[in-house]
Structure formats: structure tokens, C-alpha cells
Amino acid sequence: MARAASTKGQTRIQREKTEEILEAALEVFATYGFRGATIDQIALQSGLSKPNILYYFDGKEAIHAKLLSRLLTTWLEPLKHLGDSDNPVDEICAYVARKLAMSRDYPRESRLFANEIIQGAPRILTELKGQLKTLTDEKAALIQNWCDAGLIKPIDPYHLIFSIWATTQHYADFDVQVCAVLSDKADSRFDQAAAFLDNMYRATLTH
Amino acid sequence: MARAASTKGQTRIQREKTEEILEAALEVFATYGFRGATIDQIALQSGLSKPNILYYFDGKEAIHAKLLSRLLTTWLEPLKHLGDSDNPVDEICAYVARKLAMSRDYPRESRLFANEIIQGAPRILTELKGQLKTLTDEKAALIQNWCDAGLIKPIDPYHLIFSIWATTQHYADFDVQVCAVLSDKADSRFDQAAAFLDNMYRATLTH
DNA sequence: GTCTATACTGTGATAGAC
DNA sequence: GTCTATCACAGTATAGAC
């Protein structure tokens, strides 16, 4: 009965196993997408038996849903921190740096999200049109104010945000391709990317 | 016996059916990735029966392989056209525009590619390290020459190319998200993107 | 050359022993 | 609370009629 839907009233063992399952599931869902992932793979990855996994979660869908709901919070965090500042260029570049660091430190989360969106976001569309849109509207208005005040060059704030998402997440989602192209120079790819992106956004935003 | 592996010596009917299958398969693979896609879905989408599809192709893997091999050629085409010019900024911006147009006109191809890369590129890694790397090296060298000649601002040519791939393909791969955020302004998203990207890359490259 | 019927495997989920 | 055994079904693929 102690299903993992609620995080309260669990024993230590239960919490740990739930975490192990989610950790393994993240790996599998991020790699194969929802439909391509199997509980067998999650079982193998976590070292638990398949029925044991289904004891803790009400099926494949429930595991995926849990991962997605956690993800969205983490994912929007860097953008939430984009605040008012008398140096908007630094503020935006700091956001770019935070977002790139997330691609470096949480590539699986990035891929989980990418898989979901590419596949048409069937299980997260509501949140995109709600939480994500609201937050983006708010930050786009802030950027627009900076434009109007002449603090940065006039640009479309929405597409600026899109381009930041695209360029930073690229280093998580397309990591295999980046490494294939850079080959022996791939080790320092995140440092190179940080320098390049900082440079590009400064050029784009500074008068 | 007349398997679709070779395109030669086929009747008109055979070519047509092969095309119908590939068309349907593109839709399905682009949406669900290799593992998530099923021949049932391809059958439903194409209106052909499942055994009939397996008559024309040697299994699911063969259909996917055929799509990928076609894709790579189309996909590298815009970059191949990046040639020497006495106005490198225009030349690069023209490449950006071509690449964005491909996201608009061939979103399914973009998603097929994205799915493959996100999942670790198991069926295309060789081509990435071969064809793609060779071409990218060549064009990166060209861009580096422009930098050295002082025709554009000094930048890392590889990460410039990565950023172009990221920003343009984003409008195909993450279209659902872009539309969710832009809502009523989504209709002209490709025109807005074209203007924004042209502006950004000019700022990044022009002295 | 195309279809119906079917074999065989992988997958999600459950029952019941411990 | 966890495991073994197993079911029902979906999925790939093939055999053989037409």
C-alpha cells in the first residue's frame, strides 16, 4: 500500500529504493524516450526485480510522470533567477552560464526533456502552456524593458530566450555529435562553449 | 525478390510503394525514435499491411537505415554550400537562413536526426565521425581563415557552427514548445526567428 | 506481388509463495 | 516487503495461399 505517489510516511528503505528506481529510470527514459524505454531495462539498471519496481510505482507511466514533474521545477530554476539589474548584459550572460552548467551537470535531465518535447510533449503540454509560458512571458517583458530603456540593443526577447535554450541544451542533447566533431579537443568542450557563448551574447546585446 | 535495398530495376509500383512506406516511416520514427516506433504504426500511417511492408524492406532496422542514409546527404547539403566569399558575414548568414528554412520545410527529418543523436547515435556514429567531421573540419578551417584575415571577429569556428545547428534546428525539434510559449504569435515564428538570428550572427561576426 | 494466418519474442502487469 | 512464476498482449517476422 505504501506507494511512492506520496513522499510522506515512508520508511528509509522505501525512500532509498524509490530513489534508486528513479535514478535508473532517468537513465533509461533519457536514452530511449517513453515508448522506447522498458521496465526490464530499468530493472536491469537499478538491480531490482521488475515486480519490485511495480510494487513501488503504479506502472511505467507513473515513473515517467514522477520524473517529469521533478524535472520541470529544476529546469525552470535558472530562468527564475534572471532578475532586474543595472547591468542586463552581465545578468543575461550569467543566465547563459547557469544554463550551460546544467547541461554539463544534468545531461540526462536535458535529454529526458528533449525526448518529451520532440515527441510532441503529450505528457507535459499543459505545463508548457502554463508554468513555462507564464515564466517566459514575465522574463521576456523584463528583457523588453531593458531594450526600451536602451540598456541593451533592441532584440526580440522571446527568440533571445529560445536561442539561449537551444545553444546551451545542445551541449547535453547533442553531446555525441559535439564529441564526434571535436574528437581530441572534446575534453574541454564546455569551457570552449562557455567562452564562445559569453562572447556571442555580449556582441548581440551590447550597444 | 525485388527488395528495396537497391533502387534499380524496380517497377513503378514498387518505387511508389517504397516511397509511401518511407514517407510513413519518417513520420513515425521522427515522433517515437527507433525503439518507440512500431511497424504497426507505419502500416497504419501508410495504409499498407504489415506483411506487405516487410516484403519491401528487410525489417524495421532496414527502413530506418534507409531513412538515415538519405537524411545525411540532405542534411549536410546547406553546409557544403558554405563557400569562400569576400563577404563572409553575408555568407554565414545565408547559411543560417538556409538551415532555418530546412527546419521549416523538413521538420520531420530534423526530428529523426535529433532522436538518433539524443539516443547516442548507435546507427549513425560512424558517419558522424567520418563525413560530418570531415566536412565540419573543412568549413571550420575556412571560417578560421576569415578570422585570421580580419574579415570577421575572432571566434571559435567549431562552436559557431554548433550554435548555428542548435538555434536553427531548435525551431523544428522544439516546435511544440516554441508554439506553446508564443501562443497567438506563433504563426510567424519562422520569420521572427530569421530576423533574430540574422541580427545575432551579424553582431557576433561583424567588427 | 500481395494478402491471411500464424509462429515466436519481448513487454507490462499480476498472483501467490516466502 | 520482495521474489518466482506466469499471464495476456503487442510486436517482429515468416510461411504459404492466392
Side-chain angles (χ1 to χ4, degrees):
Chain A
M1 262 306 174
R3 287 301 165 93
S6 92
T7 322
K8 300 183 187 274
Q10 290 183 332
T11 68
R12 188 180 54 82
I13 295 264
Q14 286 173 329
R15 255 195 313 278
E16 279 177 10
K17 293 241 173 174
T18 306
E19 279 315 309
E20 283 170 36
I21 294 169
L22 287 173
E23 162 66 23
L26 174 59
E27 190 77 31
V28 177
F29 280 127
T31 307
Y32 297 105
F34 180 73
R35 291 219 35 179
T38 69
I39 302 188
D40 273 319
Q41 289 174 297
I42 300 174
L44 194 70
Q45 183 80 26
S46 65
L48 295 171
S49 71
K50 188 157 61 163
N52 201 0
I53 289 176
L54 291 165
Y55 168 76
Y56 284 105
F57 287 93
D58 273 338
K60 184 175 158 178
E61 195 101 29
I63 306 178
H64 193 254
K66 183 77 182 174
L67 282 174
L68 274 190
S69 76
R70 283 192 179 189
L71 172 61
L72 206 70
T73 317
T74 329
W75 220 233
L76 297 182
E77 201 57 32
L79 185 53
K80 278 192 185 135
H81 280 70
L82 185 77
D84 210 348
S85 160
D86 46 358
N87 194 335
V89 176
D90 284 345
E91 186 73 19
I92 291 171
C93 285
Y95 171 55
V96 172
R98 277 198 302 274
K99 202 79 181 56
L100 184 64
M102 289 200 65
S103 283
R104 186 193 56 209
D105 300 334
Y106 304 99
R108 297 175 309 178
E109 279 81 352
S110 184
R111 282 195 271 262
L112 178 69
F113 190 72
N115 261 312
E116 180 65 14
I117 304 291
I118 289 182
Q119 306 193 358
R123 285 164 287 269
I124 208 182
L125 194 58
T126 319
E127 282 82 355
L128 293 187
K129 291 185 175 170
Q131 284 184 59
L132 178 69
K133 177 170 168 45
T134 307
L135 181 63
T136 312
D137 282 343
E138 183 192 318
K139 298 306 179 182
L142 175 63
I143 295 170
Q144 187 61 53
N145 285 343
W146 289 334
C147 289
D148 295 344
L151 292 168
I152 56 175
K153 270 199 278 197
I155 41 93
D156 185 320
Y158 286 99
H159 291 269
L160 173 67
I161 293 173
F162 293 153
S163 88
I164 294 173
W165 291 344
T167 49
T168 54
Q169 290 173 18
H170 186 82
Y171 288 94
D173 304 341
F174 287 69
D175 188 52
V176 185
Q177 180 177 252
V178 168
C179 289
V181 168
L182 292 179
S183 59
D184 50 310
K185 289 161 296 191
D187 282 352
S188 53
R189 61 194 185 280
F190 281 100
D191 295 329
Q192 299 163 29
F196 172 82
L197 292 176
D198 191 81
N199 182 56
M200 178 166 79
Y201 285 108
R202 279 185 196 284
T204 303
L205 297 169
T206 311
H207 272 292
Chain B
M1 265 298 181
R3 286 302 166 91
S6 91
T7 323
K8 299 182 189 273
Q10 291 183 332
T11 68
R12 188 180 52 84
I13 296 263
Q14 286 172 329
R15 256 195 313 278
E16 281 177 8
K17 294 240 173 173
T18 306
E19 280 314 309
E20 284 170 36
I21 293 168
L22 287 173
E23 162 67 23
L26 174 58
E27 189 78 32
V28 176
F29 281 126
T31 308
Y32 297 105
F34 180 73
R35 291 218 39 178
T38 70
I39 302 188
D40 273 319
Q41 289 174 297
I42 299 174
L44 194 71
Q45 183 81 26
S46 65
L48 295 171
S49 73
K50 190 156 57 164
N52 201 0
I53 288 176
L54 290 167
Y55 167 73
Y56 283 105
F57 287 93
D58 272 338
K60 182 175 159 178
E61 195 102 28
I63 306 178
H64 193 253
K66 183 78 183 173
L67 282 175
L68 275 190
S69 75
R70 284 193 178 190
L71 172 61
L72 207 71
T73 318
T74 330
W75 220 234
L76 298 182
E77 201 57 32
L79 184 54
K80 278 191 187 137
H81 280 69
L82 185 77
D84 210 348
S85 161
D86 45 357
N87 193 336
V89 176
D90 284 345
E91 187 72 19
I92 291 171
C93 285
Y95 170 55
V96 172
R98 278 198 301 276
K99 202 79 181 59
L100 184 63
M102 290 200 65
S103 283
R104 185 193 56 208
D105 299 335
Y106 306 100
R108 296 173 310 178
E109 279 81 353
S110 183
R111 282 193 272 261
L112 177 70
F113 189 74
N115 261 313
E116 181 65 14
I117 304 290
I118 290 182
Q119 307 192 359
R123 284 164 288 269
I124 209 183
L125 193 58
T126 319
E127 282 83 355
L128 294 187
K129 290 184 175 170
Q131 284 184 58
L132 178 70
K133 177 168 169 45
T134 308
L135 182 63
T136 313
D137 282 343
E138 183 191 318
K139 299 306 180 182
L142 176 63
I143 295 170
Q144 188 61 55
N145 285 343
W146 289 333
C147 289
D148 294 343
L151 293 167
I152 56 176
K153 270 199 278 196
I155 41 94
D156 185 319
Y158 286 99
H159 291 270
L160 174 67
I161 294 174
F162 292 154
S163 88
I164 293 173
W165 291 345
T167 49
T168 54
Q169 290 173 18
H170 186 81
Y171 290 95
D173 305 340
F174 287 70
D175 188 53
V176 184
Q177 180 178 254
V178 168
C179 288
V181 169
L182 291 179
S183 59
D184 50 310
K185 288 161 295 190
D187 281 351
S188 53
R189 60 195 185 279
F190 281 99
D191 295 329
Q192 299 162 31
F196 172 83
L197 291 177
D198 191 82
N199 183 57
M200 178 164 80
Y201 285 108
R202 280 186 195 284
T204 303
L205 297 169
T206 311
H207 272 294

